[in-house]
Amino acid sequence: RQLRAKQKARRIYGIMEKQFRRYYDIALKRRGLTGLNLLQVLESRLDNVVFRLGFAVNRAQARQLVNHGHFLVNGRKTNIPSMVLQPGDVVSVRDQSKQNEFFKGMVEAAEKTSVPMWLERDLENLRARVLRLPERGEIDGNLNEQLIVEYYSR
């Protein structure tokens, strides 16, 4: 059961084992509930934030868009999908990428998606801000973080 819960989380976020373990260690060092911390770290990865903002159809596409350098974080070009964003970070689409057909069509698609409360989106300028870390209620409810913590703490 514990292994299944961990593998499910890994599959959802598209993360390899070694990286997932590193996120668990980060979550362990933070104050508060380890399980919630782990989900917050996973949820605030750049590729996941891009997906949550509606700039991509799924996390795999978001990951590819980040890999191809279409996004700026705090005004600096980045191509690292695993970058963990902090509250106050600004994510925006590069000016060169805005002319791209994909991003022109994406605005209409993004309008239909709702943005979580912990993110603030500005579709006109294709930019967004991380307001705070997500709360448990704002993260996919079908993950059992307690089982994941139990798996790693044995």
Side-chain angles (χ1 to χ4, degrees):
R1 264 179 18 152
Q2 297 166 344
L3 177 64
R4 260 215 187 97
K6 176 189 67 93
Q7 300 294 56
K8 182 179 183 182
R10 276 190 44 214
R11 228 181 357 267
I12 287 174
Y13 290 100
I15 299 172
M16 296 313 238
E17 179 59 44
K18 195 171 180 181
Q19 206 172 18
F20 197 83
R21 177 70 207 214
R22 201 172 51 102
Y23 290 136
Y24 175 77
D25 292 336
I26 291 170
L28 203 56
K29 288 183 182 107
R30 285 189 180 177
R31 284 186 132 132
L33 299 169
T34 307
L36 177 61
N37 289 345
L38 176 64
L39 291 181
Q40 286 176 337
V41 170
L42 292 172
E43 205 56 31
S44 52
R45 279 172 50 106
L46 180 56
D47 56 356
N48 186 68
V49 169
V50 167
F51 165 68
R52 290 275 181 226
L53 291 167
F55 291 169
V57 181
N58 52 38
R59 287 184 179 90
Q61 186 185 41
R63 184 180 183 85
Q64 187 179 25
L65 289 171
V66 173
N67 264 328
H68 290 209
H70 291 294
F71 291 95
L72 301 171
V73 175
N74 297 331
R76 292 177 63 189
K77 180 182 169 190
T78 184
N79 57 359
I80 301 164
S82 63
M83 180 180 189
V84 176
L85 300 177
Q86 303 298 327
D89 283 350
V90 177
V91 178
S92 55
V93 176
R94 286 180 59 212
D95 291 337
Q96 296 92 316
S97 302
K98 286 178 185 172
Q99 274 78 57
N100 191 324
E101 286 303 311
F102 172 80
F103 285 101
K104 288 178 180 167
M106 183 211 55
V107 174
E108 290 137 38
E111 283 172 345
K112 296 181 183 85
T113 62
S114 64
V115 179
M117 297 294 289
W118 56 280
L119 295 171
E120 176 185 69
R121 180 176 69 183
D122 172 12
L123 273 179
E124 240 170 72
N125 303 313
L126 288 180
R127 49 187 296 148
R129 250 180 67 232
V130 180
L131 301 173
R132 58 180 167 77
L133 289 174
E135 290 165 15
R136 181 62 185 105
E138 298 165 320
I139 302 170
D140 288 340
N142 57 3
L143 281 176
N144 190 340
E145 71 273 19
Q146 196 50 49
L147 289 177
I148 300 170
V149 172
E150 285 171 19
Y151 174 82
Y152 280 117
S153 61
R154 61 195 172 99

